């Protein structure tokens, strides 16, 4: 088995704002052999490649906007492939998800709010499922999810 994680980040300050950029790449290469079910597969529930990128812009230490994207490569499951003659496990397809987070700190002293949108593009995507009890090779994930948060410190 082999793997590597690579992360970069950059920050640029301006007169009244800050821009932060970051990225991460992960690679894992390994095999799993299940002799009971006669399956040879990539490591279950582990994608070979993952890329995560993001940017945060903060203005006057009060307003902020963060955008991010996560791309996950095909992911092996622990479920046998239904293709006749295949001894490899089924796979969940690769996907990319975009997120957005905007907010204001200290609207009045101690009061902040934020609006977070996960799966901004409302894309259907699936994570690797499990063969435990009921067999699902893929498990559908949440559609667009919007969260509004109001926070008061006293």
């Amino acid at each position: 088995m082999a793997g590597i994680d690579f992360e970069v980040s950059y920050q640029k300050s301006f007169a009244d704002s800050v821009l932060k950029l970051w990225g991460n790449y992960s690679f894992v290469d390994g095999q799993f052999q299940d002799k009971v079910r006669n399956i040879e597969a990539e490591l279950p529930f582990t994608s070979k490649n993952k890329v995560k990128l993001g940017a945060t812009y903060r203005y006057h230490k009060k307003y902020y906007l963060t955008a991010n994207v996560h791309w996950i490569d095909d992911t092996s499951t622990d479920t046998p492939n239904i293709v006749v003659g295949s001894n490899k496990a089924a796979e969940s397809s690769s996907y990319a998800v975009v997120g957005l987070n905007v907010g204001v700190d200290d609207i009045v002293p101690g009061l902040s709010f934020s609006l977070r949108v996960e799966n901004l593009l409302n894309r259907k995507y699936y994570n690797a499922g499990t063969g435990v009890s009921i067999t699902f090779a893929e498990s559908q994930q949440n559609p667009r999810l919007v969260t509004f948060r109001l926070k008061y410190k006293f």
Side-chain angles (χ1 to χ4, degrees):
M1 178 164 59
I4 188 168
D5 279 332
F6 180 72
E7 187 171 319
V8 294
S9 61
Y10 172 79
Q11 179 172 311
K12 174 72 175 170
S13 295
F14 302 96
D16 52 4
S17 61
V18 175
L19 175 64
K20 293 181 182 179
L21 305 172
W22 54 267
N24 178 278
Y25 170 73
S26 295
F27 172 79
V28 176
D29 188 19
Q31 293 290 318
F32 169 73
Q33 293 184 1
D34 182 341
K35 296 189 188 279
V36 173
R37 294 185 292 175
N38 194 29
I39 295 174
E40 179 181 301
E42 302 296 322
L43 294 174
F45 312 110
T46 305
S47 63
K48 241 183 194 179
N49 299 284
K50 291 182 184 179
V51 176
K52 298 178 180 182
L53 303 171
T56 298
Y57 180 73
R58 185 171 278 278
Y59 182 70
H60 281 300
K61 296 183 180 180
K62 184 173 184 170
Y63 307 96
Y64 61 89
L65 169 71
T66 299
N68 62 63
V69 62
H70 295 181
W71 174 77
I72 310 298
D73 200 0
D74 295 342
T75 304
S76 180
T77 70
D78 72 344
T79 305
N81 196 327
I82 61 172
V83 175
V84 175
S86 175
N87 66 343
K88 300 227 181 241
E91 286 188 334
S92 176
S93 298
S94 66
Y95 63 88
V97 179
V98 176
L100 188 66
N101 189 16
V102 296
V104 180
D105 292 330
D106 291 326
I107 300 166
V108 296
L111 182 64
S112 302
F113 91 90
S114 67
L115 179 69
R116 180 182 180 112
V117 183
E118 297 175 44
N119 194 2
L120 180 68
L121 304 176
N122 202 28
R123 181 161 187 245
K124 281 189 178 181
Y125 70 101
Y126 302 83
N127 280 346
T130 179
V132 176
S133 193
I134 300 173
T135 300
F136 292 107
E138 295 183 313
S139 176
Q140 186 171 349
Q141 300 302 295
N142 287 335
R144 182 182 300 126
L145 178 63
V146 179
T147 306
F148 176 77
R149 184 176 92 168
L150 193 59
K151 180 171 125 180
Y152 182 71
K153 288 183 183 179
F154 54 94

